[in-house]
Amino acid sequence: MCKQGENCHLPDCFCSTFHHLLDPEEIPQIVYFAFDDGVKEQAEAHYNRLFSEDRKNPNGCPISMTLYVSGDQTEYPVLSELSKRGFEIAVHSMSHEVIKTGEKVRDEAIGQRDNIINFSNVTVNQIHGWRSPYLKTAGDDQIQALQDLNFTYDVSFVYTRKTMDDLNPWPFTLDYGWTLPCDLPPCPAKEHPGFWVVPVNAMRDYGDWAACRSFDSCANKPLTMNQTYNYFMDNFRSHYQGNRAPFGIHMHANWFSKEEHINAMDKAIHDLLEYDDVYIVSINQALEWMKRPTELRFIDRFKPWRCSPLEEGIITFRVVLIFVLVVVAVGIYVKVMSTLFG
């Protein structure tokens, strides 16, 4: 049995749990977006709107997301541009076929990782994550293959809560195997020290009638912009007001072909950024926080969520400029007042 702090120690090991070691009020609410499949030019327009560079987390740095890229229909120049923006690029197989063996995982992961490296500006040390097509996995053989290839996490294993009031599990390492119910067998039963899994925590549909394994897969589909917005925000609040486990949105970009869908998501992201304790980050950034949990009052010092040097320089310049303008304004005010009242 995994016991945090006894036989499992951060940053290399974290036990499966529904309750983090920190008090929920000390935990930044992590929100991550994980988009699957090929990356095309029309999707880039949606990403540019939803994740525009002027949308910032409370620490002043741009929000981010993760793309799980498959080999079919990916336009690599577009992928390069998205990578330049700081979005995380991960692997979703080369063929987008059902994967049943560790050997198939190995071939698909190597092939698509090589495609991403060879045809875009992404380097091998930037690629950390894997997700299986259709969330069908090879269980222990899959994890072993990914570890051998130096992947550090997998986002393929599903957890389904029964109601909106139930808690979702936190990401954890497989030092003691997959300890949650196995919704889509096989799940890893063996020990895989130091390898992280981010459970695909199924959302509840907008009526809280049933589960949706991806954001865009509900049987009871929201039909209007308001229903879609409420579906998103109700699930968010269940995390924010619950155990503060990361809130993941797993989906496909073609869902944005309907105007009411992208309008609802745009409004939801806008409203999330009104919170001073909500951070929209990539999955790899979320796991960096898991490895070194940092309380909200110290989160500005947390390096993995800091901006790039250029962005930090721009922010610093703006702060200095505002300070200078204030000093100048005060000086002018004092001079005018001394002239008037000598």
Side-chain angles (χ1 to χ4, degrees), residues 29-37 46-47 49-52 55 57 62-69 86-90 131 153 155 198 200 203 214-216 228-229 231-233 235-236 246-253 255-256 261-273 278-286:
Q29 177 61 64
I30 292 171
V31 177
Y32 68 80
F33 289 80
F35 292 94
D36 287 1
D37 298 345
H46 300 315
Y47 298 147
R49 174 181 174 184
L50 296 175
F51 301 90
S52 61
R55 285 187 154 168
N57 282 313
I63 65 175
S64 191
M65 65 170 178
T66 301
L67 294 166
Y68 288 91
V69 183
F87 301 142
E88 181 188 6
I89 309 301
R131 178 167 14 227
Y153 75 84
V155 190
V198 180
V200 179
M203 300 181 70
S214 63
F215 186 84
D216 47 350
T228 305
Y229 171 81
Y231 163 46
F232 183 105
M233 293 303 294
N235 277 273
F236 162 73
F247 173 43
I249 301 94
H250 307 269
M251 62 180 302
H252 306 81
W255 185 77
F256 294 128
H261 290 169
I262 193 165
N263 287 343
M265 188 70 79
D266 190 41
K267 175 176 169 54
I269 292 175
H270 171 273
D271 289 355
L272 289 186
L273 296 178
V278 172
Y279 284 76
I280 301 175
V281 297
S282 70
I283 290 182
N284 189 59
Q285 286 177 307

Side-chain angles (χ1 to χ4, degrees), residues 89-145:
I89 309 301
V91 178
H92 189 46
S93 84
M94 186 168 52
S95 67
H96 206 274
E97 298 174 350
V98 172
I99 294 174
K100 297 181 179 180
T101 67
E103 182 179 359
K104 181 70 170 173
V105 171
R106 188 183 306 275
D107 292 343
E108 294 279 343
I110 290 175
Q112 185 54 16
R113 184 170 66 181
D114 286 349
N115 284 342
I116 293 170
I117 294 167
N118 293 334
F119 302 121
S120 71
N121 61 357
V122 182
T123 61
V124 65
N125 61 358
Q126 293 175 299
I127 300 175
H128 307 282
W130 162 273
R131 178 167 14 227
S132 294
Y134 313 106
L135 302 179
K136 303 287 188 181
T137 78
D140 283 298
D141 291 342
Q142 172 160 311
I143 303 301
Q144 188 59 59

